[in-house]
């Protein structure tokens, strides 16, 4: 993605153009500055059909469905009387086909309410292009591979020697988490046994490993994170930035944040 143009979209009343031509793009803005609107615009551009399926019942068809789609579009407008405009690299959202790209969009607001770790649920609460998805017979192999990779990453990048993800259900990827003090592992009420920073790291390492799996070779990759790393403590913020830059080296990464500490740390690590 080199640029985005928004007009009459949520907080963007007037037409605004934003250059995004970089392998790693960091955008800072206080709450209410329009970061979420930017995230929603990119999501609507690439996942418009999924949003329509989520917002409109499948038995609504024909003219009624077209009317419902217009209603959904109106919900994104700043002024209902004017047309909505979203263009990425001069292409309108109405003409775009996301099948020719690897797109991974993650907003922490969609993940923060869960008190367990289930890989299938984590990926369903994000917006990933997954091609044909995973066939049921492939699920045990997929989930075992993700869990093994996550455990390797936790030791190599975050030095979580005692923390381990354990697969409990090979059909959904439901996992337990264990450490040196909880060797039998816990799968529910994880916030009662592990601090928020550790849970945050584990969830995002799971998602990044899933991104690597779902990437289609030979196609460009965009990864967008919306306010995803604010709950990390200082050491894990450092480890997460280095991990993200390393694991997603070939992808374009756009990170939205309202936290000045994270912004400054990211800039420092990236420039060094």
């Amino acid at each position: 993605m080199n640029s985005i143009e928004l007009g009459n979209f949520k907080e963007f009343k007037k037409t605004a153009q934003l250059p995004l031509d970089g392998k790693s793009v960091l955008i800072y803005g206080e709450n209410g500055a329009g970061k979420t609107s930017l995230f929603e615009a990119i999501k609507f551009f690439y996942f418009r059909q999924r949003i329509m399926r989520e917002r409109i019942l499948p038995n609504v068809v024909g003219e009624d469905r077209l009317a419902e789609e217009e209603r959904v579009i109106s919900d994104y407008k700043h002024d209902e009387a004017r047309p909505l405009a979203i263009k990425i690299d001069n292409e309108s959202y109405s003409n775009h086909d996301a099948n020719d790209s690897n797109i991974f969009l993650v907003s922490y607001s969609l993940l923060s309410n869960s008190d367990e770790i289930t890989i299938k649920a984590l990926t369903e609460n994000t917006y990933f292009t997954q091609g044909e998805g995973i066939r049921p017979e492939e699920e045990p192999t997929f989930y075992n591979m993700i869990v093994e990779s996550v455990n390797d990453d936790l030791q190599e990048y975050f030095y979580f020697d005692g923390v381990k993800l354990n697969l409990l259900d090979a059909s959904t990827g439901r996992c337990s988490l264990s450490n040196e003090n909880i060797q039998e592992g816990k799968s529910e009420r994880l916030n009662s046994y592990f601090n928020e920073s550790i849970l945050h790291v584990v969830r995002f390492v799971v998602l990044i490993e899933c991104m690597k799996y779902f990437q289609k070779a030979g196609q460009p990759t965009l990864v967008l994170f919306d306010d995803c790393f604010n709950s990390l403590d200082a050491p894990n913020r450092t480890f997460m930035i280095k991990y993200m830059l390393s694991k997603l080296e070939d992808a374009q990464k756009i990170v939205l944040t309202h936290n000045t500490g994270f912004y400054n740390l990211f800039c420092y690590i990236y420039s060094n």
Side-chain angles (χ1 to χ4, degrees):
M1 183 191 303
N2 294 308
S3 66
I4 184 169
E5 178 182 317
L6 303 177
N8 194 35
F9 185 92
K10 288 186 172 287
E11 296 299 321
F12 293 88
K13 180 179 180 180
K14 298 180 179 179
T15 300
Q17 292 181 326
L18 185 66
L20 298 170
D21 52 338
K23 206 62 177 292
S24 296
V25 180
L26 180 63
I27 299 175
Y28 166 79
E30 296 179 356
N31 288 330
K35 298 187 308 300
T36 299
S37 294
L38 177 61
F39 179 87
E40 290 295 320
I42 295 173
K43 183 175 78 174
F44 192 78
F45 183 90
Y46 287 110
F47 294 93
R48 178 168 54 97
Q49 294 304 323
R50 172 176 164 179
I51 291 170
M52 294 300 179
R53 290 195 300 270
E54 292 173 343
R55 298 277 300 273
I56 304 172
L57 293 173
N59 61 342
V60 178
V61 297
E63 293 296 325
D64 291 338
R65 187 167 192 87
L66 293 176
E68 283 298 300
E69 289 181 355
E70 286 300 318
R71 181 188 59 79
V72 172
I73 293 173
S74 292
D75 289 343
Y76 288 95
K77 292 179 178 180
H78 184 91
D79 179 356
E80 194 169 331
R82 295 190 293 119
L84 180 73
I86 308 172
K87 291 183 179 180
I88 290 180
D89 298 340
N90 294 317
E91 181 182 21
S92 173
Y93 74 91
S94 58
N95 298 326
H96 181 73
D97 180 3
N99 291 327
D100 61 353
S101 302
N102 298 303
I103 310 296
F104 305 106
L105 310 183
V106 182
S107 175
Y108 188 60
S109 64
L110 299 175
L111 305 174
S112 57
N113 294 328
S114 175
D115 201 16
E116 61 179 34
I117 297 175
T118 301
I119 299 172
K120 185 174 184 177
L122 280 173
T123 57
E124 288 177 346
N125 283 328
T126 55
Y127 284 79
F128 286 8
T129 53
Q130 300 181 21
E132 298 299 322
I134 304 168
R135 293 191 294 271
E137 63 270 19
E138 297 174 336
E139 287 175 343
T141 301
F142 167 70
Y143 292 130
N144 272 292
M145 183 189 68
I146 294 298
V147 167
E148 182 178 344
S149 297
V150 167
N151 286 328
D152 290 343
D153 291 348
L154 293 177
Q155 293 186 46
E156 179 179 354
Y157 291 92
F158 298 90
Y159 310 102
F160 286 1
D161 290 334
V163 177
K164 185 178 180 182
L165 196 64
N166 313 284
L167 185 62
L168 299 179
D169 185 344
S171 65
T172 64
R174 182 169 174 265
C175 298
S176 69
L177 198 62
S178 59
N179 62 20
E180 293 175 348
N181 298 319
I182 311 175
Q183 296 184 3
E184 72 277 10
K186 298 293 182 182
S187 60
E188 299 176 342
R189 298 173 53 242
L190 294 179
N191 290 326
S192 301
Y193 302 99
F194 301 91
N195 71 49
E196 183 181 11
S197 190
I198 289 176
L199 295 177
H200 193 150
V201 166
V202 172
R203 289 190 181 103
F204 277 96
V205 171
V206 167
L207 288 174
I208 289 174
E209 283 296 344
C210 288
M211 292 176 195
K212 298 293 290 183
Y213 180 89
F214 290 134
Q215 269 186 298
K216 292 171 280 188
Q219 296 184 359
T221 300
L222 168 67
V223 182
L224 173 60
F225 294 106
D226 180 25
D227 267 340
C228 286
F229 308 112
N230 298 320
S231 68
L232 295 177
D233 53 27
N236 282 321
R237 282 185 183 181
T238 301
F239 298 148
M240 179 60 74
I241 293 169
K242 292 181 177 180
Y243 172 74
M244 180 173 58
L245 292 173
S246 174
K247 278 286 181 173
L248 302 174
E249 181 180 9
D250 296 331
Q252 182 185 26
K253 299 163 288 294
I254 300 177
V255 180
L256 310 177
T257 184
H258 72 270
N259 188 288
T260 54
F262 178 83
Y263 177 88
N264 291 331
L265 180 62
F266 192 106
C267 291
Y268 175 79
I269 291 174
Y270 186 80
S271 64
N272 286 277

